[in-house]
Amino acid sequence: MVDSGPTALERFINGILPENPTYRQLLGMCPTLAVTNGLKPALTMAGATAFVLICANFITSLIRNALKPHLRILVFTLTIATFVTIADRFLQAFMPAMSKVLGPYVPLIIVNCIIIARCEVCASKQPVGTALADALGCSLGFALGLASIASVREILGTGCLLGARVLPEAWPNWGIMVLPPGAFLTLGLLLGLVEWAGAARKKAGGNQG
Amino acid sequence: MNHLVDLLLIAVGAAFINNFVLHYFVGICPFIGVSRRVDQAFGMGLAVTFVVTIASFLAWFFTWFVTRPGAPVTAWVWGLFAPGSRTVLDLSILNYLIYIFVIASSVQFVEMYLKRFFPALFKAFGVYLPLITTNCAILFACLEIMKHVSGVRDPAAAWGLDQALALAVFGGLGFALAITMMAGIREELDLCDIPEPLKGAGITLLTAGIMAMAFMGFTGVDRGLAAFLR
Amino acid sequence: MEKEARKAPGLLGQAWLILLLAAFFGSSLAGVEIALKPRIERNKRNETFGQIPFLVPGGSSQKSVETRMGGIRVIRVLSDKGDHLGWVLPASGQGFADRIELLVGLDRKAERITGLYVLDQKETPGLGSHIQDKDGFLRGFEGQPADKSLRVVKGRPAPHSGGIRAITGATISSLSVCNIVNRAVRDFRKALAGSEGKD
C-alpha cells in the first residue's frame, strides 16, 4: 500500500467537521435522537461514546496484524461490549441520576455504527497514533452533533440551557421539542440547514474560481 | 385473566404507544435506509420481528437462569465448587456481552436455517439479515427484558417468558408497521417537489417527526383498555 | 493491499491471542465489578431509603428495614433510636404515558399519609410531569386520611378532607397518582389489620 491515506492530523480534523459522523455520515442515529432532550445527558452520552471509541480503536489498532478478518469482527464486538460495560458501571456508580436518565442508551453504544465503522475502516489498518487521532476527531465531531441538537431542543423546549434560563420567562415552552417528535423535527431541519449551507458555500466558491 | 390483560397491555404498549422507532428511536438506521419501497420495508420489518423474537427468548433464558442475582444454574454450579456457601452470585455484569453474542448467533442461525429449509423466504429477506446484527432494536428488546427481570425493585414483579415474548413480538411488529408506513409515504414523496437540501434523510426525518406526533395520540389508550377489560 | 502480505500468525497463535484477550477483558470486568459494586448497591438503596426522612418525619435511612406483610413489600420506618414511626409503602401503577412508581409514607397505624414521593414517571414534560413537584402536587397528600379514598378535585380543596387538587392540563396523571395511592394504601391496611389480628 503506497498511498497511506490522510495523516493523523488530517484524520483528526476530518472527523470533526468535513466528515462529521452526525451530519455528514448519518451514523449513530439512536443516541443522536434519544438523549438530546437536554444538553447535559447529550454531553454525558458523548463522553461515554468517546471513551468506548478511543479504547476500542486503541485495542483494535494494537492487534491489527495478528488476526484474520472473520475473527476480527468477533474481537471488535468483544472489545466494544467490554468497554461499554465498564463505562456503564462507572456511570451507575458515580452519576446514578444521569445513568437513570440515559437508561438503555448507554448499553446501546455497543451497536453504535460509529464505533464499528471507525474500527473497521481506520483502526484495523493504521498504527496506534493515527487510530487514536481518528477516534478523538470522530468523538469531537459526534459530541458537536449531539450538543447542537440538544441545545436547540432544550432552549426551545424549556427556555433553559443546562438548567440556566436563556429565554425570557414569558417564553411559552414548546413541550413538543423535548418529546420524541421534536427530536426528528430538529435533526431533519438541522440536516437540511447543513446541506443548504454546504451547497451555498460550494456555489460561492465556484463563482470566485 | 389479569395476567392476560397484562400481556395485552405490554403488546399494545410495545407496538403502538412506545413504538420502538417513533418513541425509543431504536432501529433508525434501517428506518431511514431501507424505507424506499414498501415491499423491501415490509421484508425488513418481518426479518427484524423474527430475529428479535429468537434473540429475546435466548436473552430471557440466560438472564433468568444464569445472570440474575440468585439464578438457579449459577447457584448450582457455585454449589459444586463451594458446597454450603451462602453467597448469592450476581453475574449481571456479563449481560451485555451475552446479549451481543446471542444476537450475532441468532442472526447466523436464522440465516442458515432459512437458506436450508425456506430458500424462497431466504431470497426475500436474506439480504437484510446481516444488517440486523447491528440493529439497535434487537439489543434494545434484550435490554428491556433485562430491566424487567433483574432490574426490578420487587422480585415478585419480574417478567416471565410470556411477557418477554409479548414485548419482543409486538415490538418487532410495531417496527414493521412504522417502517412500512414510512415506505408508503416515501413512495408518494418521490413525486413531490421537495426543497433540495431536505431531499433524502432530511424529509424522512421530518415525516418521521409528524408520524411520531400521530403515534403520541395512542398515549393513554392502554389505560382505557385496562379499565375496560378489568 | 493484498501484496502487503500481513504477517498473520497461524491458527494456533490466533487462538492464543483471543484467549489472552478474553482473559484480559474478563479480569478487567471483574476488577470493575469488585471496585464499583458496593457503590452501585448503595446508590440503589439510597434511591428508596434516602427518601425516608422526607416521607416519615424523624425516620432514619439507616435503621429502617424492608419487610413483607401479607405478600406486600413495605419498609418499616424506625427512628435513630429504633422506635417504630411508620411505614414507607412502594406503589406503582399505570399513569397517562407509562408506569408511575411512588413511595407512600404512612404513620404507625397507617391512618394518615405523611408524605409522597415519585420514584419514576414518564408523564408529558411540562404537564403531567408536575406530579413530582414537591411543593405543589405532592404537598397536597401530606396529612390526608388513609382510611378513605382520596379523590381529585378541581380548585382548592379543604385541608385534610381527602381532596387532591388536580394539575391543570394533566387531570389523568393526577387521577392516576390518586388511584395508585388509594389501591396500595387499601391493600396495605388490610394486610396490616390481618397481621395485627394474628399477633
Side-chain angles (χ1 to χ4, degrees), chain A residues 107-197:
Chain A
L108 279 176
I109 296 177
I110 301 177
V111 284
N112 189 326
C113 342
I114 297 178
I115 298 173
I116 299 240
R118 287 339 286 172
C119 281
E120 182 63 34
V121 172
C122 172
S124 63
K125 300 188 179 81
Q126 303 294 337
V128 176
T130 322
L132 282 181
D134 184 84
L136 216 57
C138 237
S139 313
L140 278 178
F142 185 59
L144 202 69
L146 283 188
S148 57
I149 299 165
S151 312
V152 171
R153 286 182 68 191
E154 196 181 345
I155 290 175
L156 294 181
T158 64
C160 304
L161 192 62
L162 284 175
R165 195 148 264 291
V166 284
L167 290 177
E169 219 37 82
W171 172 259
N173 293 340
W174 294 4
I176 198 78
M177 293 311 274
V178 287
L179 287 170
F184 286 112
L185 297 179
T186 313
L187 181 60
L189 289 175
L190 283 180
L191 261 181
L193 202 68
V194 169
E195 285 288 313
W196 177 76

Side-chain angles (χ1 to χ4, degrees), chain B residues 90 93 153-154 220 222-223, chain C residues 33 37 68 94-95 101 176:
Chain B
D90 176 10
I93 196 159
R153 292 196 182 87
D154 182 5
D222 50 348
R223 204 174 162 278
Chain C
E33 174 82 349
K37 180 97 189 195
R68 269 182 189 277
Q94 191 63 31
E101 287 190 52
S176 305

Side-chain angles (χ1 to χ4, degrees), chain B residues 9 17-18 23-24 90-94 97 147-148 150-151 153-156 216 219-223, chain C residues 29-30 32-33 37 41 47-48 66 68 73 94-98 101 119-120 122 124 172 175-176 179:
Chain B
L9 290 187
I17 303 164
N18 299 329
H23 186 268
Y24 285 121
D90 176 10
L91 292 183
S92 44
I93 196 159
L94 295 176
L97 276 168
K147 195 176 92 187
H148 285 107
S150 63
R153 292 196 182 87
D154 182 5
M216 271 174 69
T219 316
V221 166
D222 50 348
R223 204 174 162 278
Chain C
L29 279 183
V32 167
E33 174 82 349
K37 180 97 189 195
E41 290 293 319
E47 227 184 346
T48 355
E66 188 174 323
R68 269 182 189 277
R73 202 167 64 103
Q94 191 63 31
F96 177 58
D98 209 329
E101 287 190 52
L119 265 181
D120 214 353
K122 295 192 182 71
T124 324
I172 295 187
L175 204 61
S176 305
N179 286 342

Side-chain angles (χ1 to χ4, degrees), chain A:
Chain A
M1 204 161 69
V2 186
D3 141 55
S4 63
T7 63
L9 186 67
E10 277 166 9
R11 281 176 184 277
F12 175 69
I13 294 168
N14 260 349
I16 301 179
L17 278 180
E19 286 174 25
N20 187 288
T22 308
Y23 292 116
R24 288 284 174 207
Q25 305 185 54
L26 290 179
L27 287 177
M29 287 283 114
C30 323
T32 313
L33 292 164
V35 300
T36 50
N37 51 5
L39 188 53
K40 203 170 167 220
L43 289 179
T44 317
M45 186 66 185
T49 313
F51 165 74
V52 177
L53 180 56
I54 291 170
C55 293
N57 252 18
F58 176 69
I59 299 264
T60 314
S61 177
L62 269 186
I63 57 169
R64 68 184 181 284
N65 285 333
L67 287 176
K68 294 228 167 74
H70 63 278
L71 275 176
R72 215 164 56 207
I73 296 281
L74 182 90
V75 173
F76 289 171
T77 327
L78 191 75
T79 320
I80 296 170
T82 308
F83 285 117
V84 168
T85 309
I86 293 175
D88 185 47
R89 290 288 149 142
F90 265 91
L91 282 180
Q92 277 179 21
F94 296 103
M95 303 169 79
M98 190 44 72
S99 157
K100 217 173 135 192
V101 170
L102 293 178
Y105 297 102
V106 177
L108 279 176
I109 296 177
I110 301 177
V111 284
N112 189 326
C113 342
I114 297 178
I115 298 173
I116 299 240
R118 287 339 286 172
C119 281
E120 182 63 34
V121 172
C122 172
S124 63
K125 300 188 179 81
Q126 303 294 337
V128 176
T130 322
L132 282 181
D134 184 84
L136 216 57
C138 237
S139 313
L140 278 178
F142 185 59
L144 202 69
L146 283 188
S148 57
I149 299 165
S151 312
V152 171
R153 286 182 68 191
E154 196 181 345
I155 290 175
L156 294 181
T158 64
C160 304
L161 192 62
L162 284 175
R165 195 148 264 291
V166 284
L167 290 177
E169 219 37 82
W171 172 259
N173 293 340
W174 294 4
I176 198 78
M177 293 311 274
V178 287
L179 287 170
F184 286 112
L185 297 179
T186 313
L187 181 60
L189 289 175
L190 283 180
L191 261 181
L193 202 68
V194 169
E195 285 288 313
W196 177 76
R201 211 174 53 194
K202 214 177 262 170
K203 219 174 181 179
N207 285 347
Q208 280 166 11

